[in-house]
Amino acid sequence: MRRPRPRRRRPVILLDTAEQLHRLPRGAATQAPGADSGRRAVVMTMGALHDGHATLVRTARAQVGPAGQVVVTVFVNPLQFGANEDLDRYPRTLDADLALAEAAGADAVFAPAVDEVYPGGDPQVRISAGPMGGRLEGATRPGHFDGMLTVVAKLLHLTRPDLAFFGQKDAQQLALIRRMVTDLNFPVEVWGVPTVREEDGLALSSRNRYLSAKERGTALALSRALFAGRDRLAAQAALRDRAEAQSPPAGDERATGLARLGEIRASADAHAVAAAGAGLPEAVRAAARHVLHEAGRYDPPLVLDYLALVDPQDFTEAGPGFTGQAVLAVAAKVGATRLIDNIPLEFGAHA
């Protein structure tokens, strides 16, 4: 008996106008023409797609299933670029982007021109990123997040998705998009997808192609610094767990218990945990900062913009005794290329 042949996906559909996008049925490309069922997911990009973007598309495809639809947007948004930034230099590789999007499972690519998105020129009304938008990336790039949120809002209106997928590598961007969707009641579910890294730890980025071999070697300090901070946190957690395992019984049995478990070692560990607990966020920063300081002496050097350990709810710095989820974030220039990276961390109640 012959096995049934799998249904072949139609080629990805390229759209470049809002009118074409609005006429696009919400059915998947694997369905018959005119089908209109399933959920729509959107993956927003500025093009120059790499495997990090492909991971977003694959995740979206898995979530909406074969009856759903995945739309990838490719638009280099001029509102996100400030003076002396790389708008003109930013890579534009639409043919390669179409091939990658199709291979990853996209049904359509919306790649409009600037005057299609902003038909009246620079918009007079924009989304304000508020106080969070002025921190870290926003402090370095004034107006960047206002421009980002403005285009994300427009693209959400144009694509009308049920789900939207963004990479966690742009952690502050993701946090602001979630805040906007909540505050302005957008009917969309926002998904954050973990950062994709190359084998050497470098976070995938469209800007990595600007790096020379020597610059790439220096750029690896960003991920090494983040991992050093993570390892410092893990070491402190291990010390805490060991101290707790050695904690003596309460009450009248305290002296006997301490003697049995080794009073000197238990007391020393307990003291170390108590001393380090309040200062653990700064210890994490210090471990990362040491790696970045060393990279400042490389050839070419790493020029640090910021290193921050922040609360992902508002991107304020995590202070002494902080507990819960945090983001350790870094931005730096290597040569003419500015790179960002981050990792999520979890500070326990004892930290």
Side-chain angles (χ1 to χ4, degrees):
M1 180 178 178
R2 295 180 62 183
R3 295 181 179 178
R5 300 175 68 177
R7 299 182 69 178
R8 300 179 62 182
R9 294 180 58 84
R10 296 205 307 266
V12 67
I13 302 168
L14 175 61
L15 312 167
D16 57 18
T17 70
E19 183 181 357
Q20 291 172 341
L21 183 61
H22 290 157
R23 291 202 307 261
L24 178 69
R26 295 179 72 89
T30 51
Q31 294 177 318
D36 191 9
S37 63
R39 296 185 298 170
R40 175 181 286 177
V42 66
V43 175
M44 297 185 191
T45 83
M46 292 207 301
L49 303 188
H50 48 65
D51 195 53
H53 297 109
T55 299
L56 292 173
V57 176
R58 288 191 291 265
T59 304
R61 178 86 269 158
Q63 289 302 316
V64 300
Q69 184 182 72
V70 177
V71 176
V72 175
T73 68
V74 174
F75 180 65
V76 182
N77 178 31
L79 301 190
Q80 293 176 228
F81 291 80
N84 303 316
E85 292 192 335
D86 57 353
L87 173 60
D88 293 334
R89 186 176 172 229
Y90 197 87
R92 290 157 172 85
T93 57
L94 183 57
D95 289 343
D97 294 346
L98 291 170
L100 184 146
E102 181 177 315
D107 297 297
V109 171
F110 179 52
V114 173
D115 59 4
E116 181 69 24
V117 177
Y118 304 120
D122 283 357
Q124 298 300 299
V125 176
R126 306 187 186 194
I127 301 291
S128 170
M132 192 188 344
R135 300 174 184 134
L136 298 190
E137 286 295 291
T140 300
R141 308 173 67 189
H144 166 73
F145 285 125
D146 291 355
M148 179 276 295
L149 290 178
T150 298
V151 79
V152 169
K154 287 182 71 81
L155 290 173
L156 286 175
H157 285 308
L158 290 170
T159 58
R160 296 171 294 171
D162 301 291
L163 305 93
F165 292 79
F166 300 90
Q168 292 179 359
K169 175 178 167 291
D170 296 299
Q172 193 172 3
Q173 170 180 285
L174 175 59
L176 281 162
I177 291 170
R178 282 177 164 152
R179 187 77 262 172
M180 178 185 73
V181 164
T182 298
D183 289 351
L184 302 185
N185 299 102
F186 279 79
V188 62
E189 183 180 342
V190 176
W191 283 63
V193 179
T195 301
V196 178
R197 299 183 180 277
E198 301 195 36
E199 290 185 3
D200 56 11
L202 187 66
L204 286 178
S205 169
S206 300
R207 290 185 169 94
N208 289 352
R209 67 187 68 199
Y210 299 153
L211 299 170
S212 68
K214 291 184 68 175
E215 288 171 342
R216 182 186 171 86
T218 297
L220 293 176
L222 272 74
S223 57
R224 286 204 303 268
L226 298 178
F227 299 155
R230 179 193 62 190
D231 292 346
R232 177 67 183 87
L233 179 61
Q236 182 61 35
L239 176 62
R240 180 199 68 207
D241 291 345
R242 189 178 74 181
E244 289 181 346
Q246 293 179 343
S247 294
D252 295 338
E253 299 180 0
R254 174 179 172 80
T256 303
L258 279 174
R260 183 173 64 252
L261 296 173
E263 182 174 4
I264 295 176
R265 182 173 180 180
S267 298
D269 283 353
H271 176 76
V273 171
L280 184 53
E282 183 52 37
V284 170
R285 292 186 189 94
R289 195 178 297 119
H290 175 74
V291 175
L292 298 169
H293 177 75
E294 292 297 313
R297 296 191 279 222
Y298 292 173
D299 178 25
L302 181 142
V303 181
L304 182 64
D305 185 347
Y306 63 76
L307 171 72
L309 181 67
V310 298
D311 184 334
Q313 296 302 311
D314 57 10
F315 270 67
T316 56
E317 287 283 349
F322 179 86
T323 60
Q325 292 185 342
V327 172
L328 183 61
V330 63
K333 288 191 75 173
V334 181
T337 304
R338 186 175 184 276
L339 300 170
I340 62 171
D341 200 355
N342 73 84
I343 56 171
L345 297 175
E346 181 76 31
F347 286 76
H350 297 274

